[in-house]
């Protein structure tokens, strides 16, 4: 068994993998003010509910884009399982079959997305990750990360409107029936949800054009299914893609130590 941890700006995602498939995936808010003991108690409870003993977990892998939370989670995993986790970062990148753009700048989640897409498809691919940020990571058929585009995520955009205006409410992410909003809620949904549909289509088209239309697109992230009308843009929607990439990084590091 493996425990794979992907810490994002909004959630920390824990995946339990049993050599062939994901058995369980759990999410909890990524809070830098929470002590290691709180995360440990949560993980213990999840494992208890699934009848998995601590001794059954042989590997842990940690990816984090929240530097202040990384030591907390690293300490928690070490103390809970009795061994250090593999931590994704520039130190392990030379072991990967990727040519990585600016290794000390690129997010570990984006590297994981690129590796998962490259391993799965072996062709030019743009991974669109619908998270706190909306990211577009393009990897070539040869395993070179060609570039990244970043925009605010759907929830981030809605919360920004709510936080910076006096009269606009925070609204659910739902596709409105019309682009002509007839209420404040529908107006925001039309502007942001339908607007983001256009943003995703436009950027994917531009990326494909720069690669002479030789590029597939894959969606991932917690909000990847929130805009159903984008289904035709993607070859696949794979919510676990980032976790798959983190797992593959861990397996590559482990294999290099044998």
């Amino acid at each position: 068994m493996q425990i794979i941890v992907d810490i994002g700006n909004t959630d920390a995602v824990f995946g339990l993998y049993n050599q062939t498939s994901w058995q369980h995936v759990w999410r909890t808010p990524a809070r830098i003010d929470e002590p290691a003991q709180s995360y440990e108690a949560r993980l213990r409870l999840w494992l208890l509910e699934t009848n998995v003993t601590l001794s059954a977990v042989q590997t842990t892998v940690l990816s984090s884009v929240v530097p202040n939370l990384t030591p907390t989670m690293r300490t928690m995993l070490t103390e809970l399982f009795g061994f250090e986790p593999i931590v994704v970062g520039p130190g392990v990148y030379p072991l990967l079959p990727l040519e990585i753009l600016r290794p000390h700048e690129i997010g570990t989640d984006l590297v994981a997305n690129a590796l998962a897409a490259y391993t799965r498809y072996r062709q030019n691919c743009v991974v669109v990750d619908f998270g706190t940020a909306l990211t577009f990571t393009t990897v070539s058929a040869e395993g070179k990360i060609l570039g990244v585009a970043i925009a605010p995520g759907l929830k981030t955009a809605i919360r920004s409107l709510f936080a910076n205006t006096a009269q606009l409410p925070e609204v659910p992410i739902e596709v409105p029936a019309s682009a002509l909003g007839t209420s404040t809620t529908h107006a925001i949904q039309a502007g942001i949800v339908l607007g983001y549909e256009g943003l995703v289509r436009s950027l994917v088209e531009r990326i494909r054009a720069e690669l002479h239309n030789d590029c597939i697109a894959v969606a991932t992230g917690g909000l990847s299914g929130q805009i159903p009308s984008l289904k035709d843009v993607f070859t696949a929607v794979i919510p676990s893609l980032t976790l798959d990439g983190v797992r593959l990084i861990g397996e590559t590091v482990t294999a290099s130590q044998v």
Side-chain angles (χ1 to χ4, degrees):
M1 289 281 190
Q2 302 178 60
I3 292 288
I4 311 299
V5 186
D6 174 34
I7 303 174
N9 288 291
T10 301
D11 290 331
V13 182
F14 294 75
L16 177 66
Y17 192 79
N18 77 341
Q19 309 306 320
T20 59
S21 62
W22 295 104
Q23 298 302 293
H24 297 278
V25 175
W26 304 284
R27 286 179 177 268
T28 189
R31 297 180 49 133
I32 61 174
D33 57 345
E34 255 193 88
Q37 293 84 351
S38 294
Y39 290 104
E40 178 181 334
R42 213 162 296 152
L43 183 52
R44 278 183 181 275
L45 179 60
W46 289 331
L47 293 175
L48 181 63
E49 290 174 341
T50 55
N51 296 315
V52 173
T53 63
L54 296 180
S55 61
V57 176
Q58 300 173 329
T59 307
T60 61
V61 190
L62 171 63
S63 166
S64 173
V65 296
V66 185
N68 288 340
L69 191 48
T70 306
T72 300
M73 204 66 71
R74 185 172 187 166
T75 297
M76 182 275 287
L77 292 169
T78 301
E79 293 183 351
L80 182 59
F81 296 105
F83 53 85
E84 284 271 344
I86 295 167
V87 180
V88 179
V92 305
Y93 293 164
L95 301 173
L96 306 181
L98 293 177
E99 183 178 342
I100 297 173
L101 180 73
R102 297 184 180 276
H104 290 278
E105 293 183 21
I106 191 169
T108 56
D109 54 340
L110 304 186
V111 174
N113 284 342
L115 180 60
Y118 168 70
T119 302
R120 183 181 288 255
Y121 294 107
R122 299 298 173 105
Q123 58 183 298
N124 295 344
C125 180
V126 53
V127 180
V128 184
D129 192 337
F130 292 79
T132 306
L134 175 67
T135 62
F136 300 73
T137 305
T138 305
V139 60
S140 73
E142 294 74 36
K144 179 179 181 179
I145 297 179
L146 301 174
V148 178
I150 302 175
L154 279 162
K155 283 187 177 178
T156 304
I158 288 175
R159 287 171 181 165
S160 178
L161 264 183
F162 171 68
N164 293 286
T165 57
Q167 292 184 299
L168 295 181
E170 189 169 1
V171 304
I173 300 174
E174 297 174 358
V175 181
S178 169
L180 304 174
T182 54
S183 69
T184 301
T185 295
H186 289 168
I188 294 172
Q189 290 170 337
I192 291 183
V193 181
L194 296 183
Y196 267 67
E197 178 187 355
L199 186 159
V200 171
R201 285 186 182 277
S202 176
L203 265 177
V204 170
E205 287 174 5
R206 290 177 73 97
I207 291 166
R208 283 175 169 155
E210 291 190 32
L211 296 175
H212 310 291
N213 292 317
D214 178 23
C215 184
I216 63 172
V218 176
T220 192
L223 301 176
S224 54
Q226 291 294 108
I227 309 179
S229 54
L230 284 173
K231 185 177 180 181
D232 64 299
V233 173
F234 301 115
T235 297
V237 176
I238 309 170
S240 67
L241 191 73
T242 309
L243 282 179
D244 285 330
V246 177
R247 174 181 60 80
L248 289 166
I249 291 171
E251 290 177 358
T252 302
V253 173
T254 299
S256 73
Q257 296 171 342
V258 174

PDB file of all heavy atoms in Angstrom, residues 143-165:
ATOM      1  N   GLY A 143       8.660  14.062 -23.710  1.00  0.00           N
ATOM      2  CA  GLY A 143       8.786  14.258 -22.279  1.00  0.00           C
ATOM      3  C   GLY A 143       9.340  15.611 -21.870  1.00  0.00           C
ATOM      4  O   GLY A 143       9.788  15.777 -20.738  1.00  0.00           O
ATOM      5  N   LYS A 144       9.293  16.594 -22.752  1.00  0.00           N
ATOM      6  CA  LYS A 144       9.753  17.938 -22.407  1.00  0.00           C
ATOM      7  C   LYS A 144       8.559  18.798 -22.005  1.00  0.00           C
ATOM      8  O   LYS A 144       7.557  18.850 -22.727  1.00  0.00           O
ATOM      9  CB  LYS A 144      10.460  18.584 -23.601  1.00  0.00           C
ATOM     10  CG  LYS A 144      10.950  20.006 -23.313  1.00  0.00           C
ATOM     11  CD  LYS A 144      11.674  20.600 -24.508  1.00  0.00           C
ATOM     12  CE  LYS A 144      12.171  22.004 -24.194  1.00  0.00           C
ATOM     13  NZ  LYS A 144      12.899  22.598 -25.355  1.00  0.00           N
ATOM     14  N   ILE A 145       8.650  19.431 -20.844  1.00  0.00           N
ATOM     15  CA  ILE A 145       7.597  20.381 -20.464  1.00  0.00           C
ATOM     16  C   ILE A 145       7.812  21.645 -21.288  1.00  0.00           C
ATOM     17  O   ILE A 145       8.802  22.357 -21.118  1.00  0.00           O
ATOM     18  CB  ILE A 145       7.631  20.676 -18.954  1.00  0.00           C
ATOM     19  CG1 ILE A 145       7.340  19.395 -18.161  1.00  0.00           C
ATOM     20  CG2 ILE A 145       6.609  21.754 -18.602  1.00  0.00           C
ATOM     21  CD1 ILE A 145       7.372  19.569 -16.649  1.00  0.00           C
ATOM     22  N   LEU A 146       6.886  21.894 -22.207  1.00  0.00           N
ATOM     23  CA  LEU A 146       7.045  22.987 -23.165  1.00  0.00           C
ATOM     24  C   LEU A 146       6.658  24.341 -22.594  1.00  0.00           C
ATOM     25  O   LEU A 146       7.162  25.374 -23.042  1.00  0.00           O
ATOM     26  CB  LEU A 146       6.199  22.694 -24.416  1.00  0.00           C
ATOM     27  CG  LEU A 146       6.539  21.401 -25.151  1.00  0.00           C
ATOM     28  CD1 LEU A 146       5.548  21.161 -26.278  1.00  0.00           C
ATOM     29  CD2 LEU A 146       7.965  21.456 -25.701  1.00  0.00           C
ATOM     30  N   GLY A 147       5.763  24.354 -21.620  1.00  0.00           N
ATOM     31  CA  GLY A 147       5.350  25.620 -21.034  1.00  0.00           C
ATOM     32  C   GLY A 147       4.093  25.470 -20.207  1.00  0.00           C
ATOM     33  O   GLY A 147       3.436  24.423 -20.205  1.00  0.00           O
ATOM     34  N   VAL A 148       3.780  26.536 -19.488  1.00  0.00           N
ATOM     35  CA  VAL A 148       2.642  26.556 -18.573  1.00  0.00           C
ATOM     36  C   VAL A 148       1.906  27.876 -18.716  1.00  0.00           C
ATOM     37  O   VAL A 148       2.528  28.917 -18.935  1.00  0.00           O
ATOM     38  CB  VAL A 148       3.119  26.389 -17.105  1.00  0.00           C
ATOM     39  CG1 VAL A 148       1.950  26.462 -16.134  1.00  0.00           C
ATOM     40  CG2 VAL A 148       3.886  25.084 -16.920  1.00  0.00           C
ATOM     41  N   ALA A 149       0.582  27.839 -18.616  1.00  0.00           N
ATOM     42  CA  ALA A 149      -0.237  29.051 -18.508  1.00  0.00           C
ATOM     43  C   ALA A 149      -1.052  28.944 -17.223  1.00  0.00           C
ATOM     44  O   ALA A 149      -1.523  27.854 -16.873  1.00  0.00           O
ATOM     45  CB  ALA A 149      -1.165  29.194 -19.716  1.00  0.00           C
ATOM     46  N   ILE A 150      -1.179  30.061 -16.512  1.00  0.00           N
ATOM     47  CA  ILE A 150      -1.868  30.058 -15.213  1.00  0.00           C
ATOM     48  C   ILE A 150      -2.876  31.201 -15.155  1.00  0.00           C
ATOM     49  O   ILE A 150      -2.553  32.340 -15.503  1.00  0.00           O
ATOM     50  CB  ILE A 150      -0.873  30.210 -14.046  1.00  0.00           C
ATOM     51  CG1 ILE A 150       0.177  29.085 -14.080  1.00  0.00           C
ATOM     52  CG2 ILE A 150      -1.605  30.201 -12.708  1.00  0.00           C
ATOM     53  CD1 ILE A 150       1.262  29.227 -13.020  1.00  0.00           C
ATOM     54  N   ALA A 151      -4.092  30.866 -14.716  1.00  0.00           N
ATOM     55  CA  ALA A 151      -5.143  31.860 -14.489  1.00  0.00           C
ATOM     56  C   ALA A 151      -5.774  31.566 -13.123  1.00  0.00           C
ATOM     57  O   ALA A 151      -5.613  30.476 -12.590  1.00  0.00           O
ATOM     58  CB  ALA A 151      -6.204  31.785 -15.589  1.00  0.00           C
ATOM     59  N   PRO A 152      -6.492  32.517 -12.553  1.00  0.00           N
ATOM     60  CA  PRO A 152      -7.217  32.220 -11.309  1.00  0.00           C
ATOM     61  C   PRO A 152      -8.226  31.097 -11.534  1.00  0.00           C
ATOM     62  O   PRO A 152      -8.831  31.005 -12.600  1.00  0.00           O
ATOM     63  CB  PRO A 152      -7.928  33.539 -10.978  1.00  0.00           C
ATOM     64  CG  PRO A 152      -7.184  34.580 -11.738  1.00  0.00           C
ATOM     65  CD  PRO A 152      -6.683  33.911 -12.978  1.00  0.00           C
ATOM     66  N   GLY A 153      -8.397  30.236 -10.550  1.00  0.00           N
ATOM     67  CA  GLY A 153      -9.384  29.172 -10.657  1.00  0.00           C
ATOM     68  C   GLY A 153     -10.796  29.708 -10.557  1.00  0.00           C
ATOM     69  O   GLY A 153     -11.024  30.877 -10.212  1.00  0.00           O
ATOM     70  N   LEU A 154     -11.769  28.857 -10.844  1.00  0.00           N
ATOM     71  CA  LEU A 154     -13.173  29.256 -10.822  1.00  0.00           C
ATOM     72  C   LEU A 154     -13.587  29.807  -9.457  1.00  0.00           C
ATOM     73  O   LEU A 154     -14.139  30.903  -9.348  1.00  0.00           O
ATOM     74  CB  LEU A 154     -14.055  28.060 -11.184  1.00  0.00           C
ATOM     75  CG  LEU A 154     -14.201  27.720 -12.669  1.00  0.00           C
ATOM     76  CD1 LEU A 154     -14.708  26.294 -12.818  1.00  0.00           C
ATOM     77  CD2 LEU A 154     -15.143  28.687 -13.340  1.00  0.00           C
ATOM     78  N   LYS A 155     -13.324  29.036  -8.397  1.00  0.00           N
ATOM     79  CA  LYS A 155     -13.706  29.480  -7.066  1.00  0.00           C
ATOM     80  C   LYS A 155     -12.921  30.721  -6.660  1.00  0.00           C
ATOM     81  O   LYS A 155     -13.441  31.615  -5.984  1.00  0.00           O
ATOM     82  CB  LYS A 155     -13.486  28.371  -6.039  1.00  0.00           C
ATOM     83  CG  LYS A 155     -14.545  27.283  -6.059  1.00  0.00           C
ATOM     84  CD  LYS A 155     -14.359  26.310  -4.909  1.00  0.00           C
ATOM     85  CE  LYS A 155     -15.465  25.270  -4.878  1.00  0.00           C
ATOM     86  NZ  LYS A 155     -15.272  24.284  -3.778  1.00  0.00           N
ATOM     87  N   THR A 156     -11.661  30.779  -7.069  1.00  0.00           N
ATOM     88  CA  THR A 156     -10.831  31.934  -6.739  1.00  0.00           C
ATOM     89  C   THR A 156     -11.408  33.200  -7.361  1.00  0.00           C
ATOM     90  O   THR A 156     -11.459  34.264  -6.721  1.00  0.00           O
ATOM     91  CB  THR A 156      -9.392  31.711  -7.231  1.00  0.00           C
ATOM     92  OG1 THR A 156      -8.892  30.493  -6.666  1.00  0.00           O
ATOM     93  CG2 THR A 156      -8.489  32.858  -6.839  1.00  0.00           C
ATOM     94  N   ALA A 157     -11.863  33.096  -8.601  1.00  0.00           N
ATOM     95  CA  ALA A 157     -12.445  34.256  -9.278  1.00  0.00           C
ATOM     96  C   ALA A 157     -13.735  34.697  -8.598  1.00  0.00           C
ATOM     97  O   ALA A 157     -13.974  35.899  -8.386  1.00  0.00           O
ATOM     98  CB  ALA A 157     -12.698  33.923 -10.742  1.00  0.00           C
ATOM     99  N   ILE A 158     -14.574  33.736  -8.247  1.00  0.00           N
ATOM    100  CA  ILE A 158     -15.842  34.077  -7.592  1.00  0.00           C
ATOM    101  C   ILE A 158     -15.587  34.707  -6.224  1.00  0.00           C
ATOM    102  O   ILE A 158     -16.197  35.716  -5.854  1.00  0.00           O
ATOM    103  CB  ILE A 158     -16.731  32.829  -7.474  1.00  0.00           C
ATOM    104  CG1 ILE A 158     -17.269  32.447  -8.855  1.00  0.00           C
ATOM    105  CG2 ILE A 158     -17.896  33.058  -6.505  1.00  0.00           C
ATOM    106  CD1 ILE A 158     -18.069  31.155  -8.897  1.00  0.00           C
ATOM    107  N   ARG A 159     -14.655  34.134  -5.462  1.00  0.00           N
ATOM    108  CA  ARG A 159     -14.352  34.676  -4.135  1.00  0.00           C
ATOM    109  C   ARG A 159     -13.714  36.056  -4.222  1.00  0.00           C
ATOM    110  O   ARG A 159     -13.926  36.901  -3.355  1.00  0.00           O
ATOM    111  CB  ARG A 159     -13.446  33.707  -3.382  1.00  0.00           C
ATOM    112  CG  ARG A 159     -14.187  32.458  -2.903  1.00  0.00           C
ATOM    113  CD  ARG A 159     -13.251  31.414  -2.345  1.00  0.00           C
ATOM    114  NE  ARG A 159     -13.980  30.227  -1.920  1.00  0.00           N
ATOM    115  CZ  ARG A 159     -13.422  29.056  -1.652  1.00  0.00           C
ATOM    116  NH1 ARG A 159     -12.109  28.912  -1.779  1.00  0.00           N
ATOM    117  NH2 ARG A 159     -14.160  28.027  -1.267  1.00  0.00           N
ATOM    118  N   SER A 160     -12.932  36.281  -5.265  1.00  0.00           N
ATOM    119  CA  SER A 160     -12.324  37.597  -5.448  1.00  0.00           C
ATOM    120  C   SER A 160     -13.394  38.661  -5.688  1.00  0.00           C
ATOM    121  O   SER A 160     -13.323  39.762  -5.137  1.00  0.00           O
ATOM    122  CB  SER A 160     -11.342  37.555  -6.623  1.00  0.00           C
ATOM    123  OG  SER A 160     -10.777  38.830  -6.841  1.00  0.00           O
ATOM    124  N   LEU A 161     -14.392  38.324  -6.499  1.00  0.00           N
ATOM    125  CA  LEU A 161     -15.506  39.256  -6.719  1.00  0.00           C
ATOM    126  C   LEU A 161     -16.226  39.549  -5.403  1.00  0.00           C
ATOM    127  O   LEU A 161     -16.512  40.705  -5.067  1.00  0.00           O
ATOM    128  CB  LEU A 161     -16.509  38.651  -7.707  1.00  0.00           C
ATOM    129  CG  LEU A 161     -16.414  39.016  -9.179  1.00  0.00           C
ATOM    130  CD1 LEU A 161     -17.557  38.361  -9.941  1.00  0.00           C
ATOM    131  CD2 LEU A 161     -16.435  40.510  -9.389  1.00  0.00           C
ATOM    132  N   PHE A 162     -16.500  38.492  -4.651  1.00  0.00           N
ATOM    133  CA  PHE A 162     -17.219  38.627  -3.380  1.00  0.00           C
ATOM    134  C   PHE A 162     -16.417  39.464  -2.386  1.00  0.00           C
ATOM    135  O   PHE A 162     -16.953  40.326  -1.685  1.00  0.00           O
ATOM    136  CB  PHE A 162     -17.491  37.235  -2.812  1.00  0.00           C
ATOM    137  CG  PHE A 162     -18.034  37.229  -1.411  1.00  0.00           C
ATOM    138  CD1 PHE A 162     -19.307  37.706  -1.143  1.00  0.00           C
ATOM    139  CD2 PHE A 162     -17.265  36.744  -0.357  1.00  0.00           C
ATOM    140  CE1 PHE A 162     -19.809  37.697   0.161  1.00  0.00           C
ATOM    141  CE2 PHE A 162     -17.767  36.729   0.929  1.00  0.00           C
ATOM    142  CZ  PHE A 162     -19.044  37.209   1.193  1.00  0.00           C
ATOM    143  N   ALA A 163     -15.096  39.247  -2.348  1.00  0.00           N
ATOM    144  CA  ALA A 163     -14.248  39.921  -1.364  1.00  0.00           C
ATOM    145  C   ALA A 163     -13.972  41.374  -1.711  1.00  0.00           C
ATOM    146  O   ALA A 163     -13.701  42.189  -0.823  1.00  0.00           O
ATOM    147  CB  ALA A 163     -12.928  39.166  -1.222  1.00  0.00           C
ATOM    148  N   ASN A 164     -14.043  41.713  -2.986  1.00  0.00           N
ATOM    149  CA  ASN A 164     -13.627  43.054  -3.408  1.00  0.00           C
ATOM    150  C   ASN A 164     -14.760  43.935  -3.910  1.00  0.00           C
ATOM    151  O   ASN A 164     -14.512  44.999  -4.487  1.00  0.00           O
ATOM    152  CB  ASN A 164     -12.539  42.934  -4.493  1.00  0.00           C
ATOM    153  CG  ASN A 164     -11.246  42.354  -3.942  1.00  0.00           C
ATOM    154  OD1 ASN A 164     -10.518  43.027  -3.233  1.00  0.00           O
ATOM    155  ND2 ASN A 164     -10.978  41.085  -4.253  1.00  0.00           N
ATOM    156  N   THR A 165     -15.985  43.498  -3.719  1.00  0.00           N
ATOM    157  CA  THR A 165     -17.134  44.323  -4.093  1.00  0.00           C
ATOM    158  C   THR A 165     -18.090  44.409  -2.903  1.00  0.00           C
ATOM    159  O   THR A 165     -18.106  43.541  -2.036  1.00  0.00           O
ATOM    160  CB  THR A 165     -17.892  43.731  -5.302  1.00  0.00           C
ATOM    161  OG1 THR A 165     -18.307  42.395  -4.990  1.00  0.00           O
ATOM    162  CG2 THR A 165     -17.015  43.701  -6.547  1.00  0.00           C
TER     163      THR A 165
END
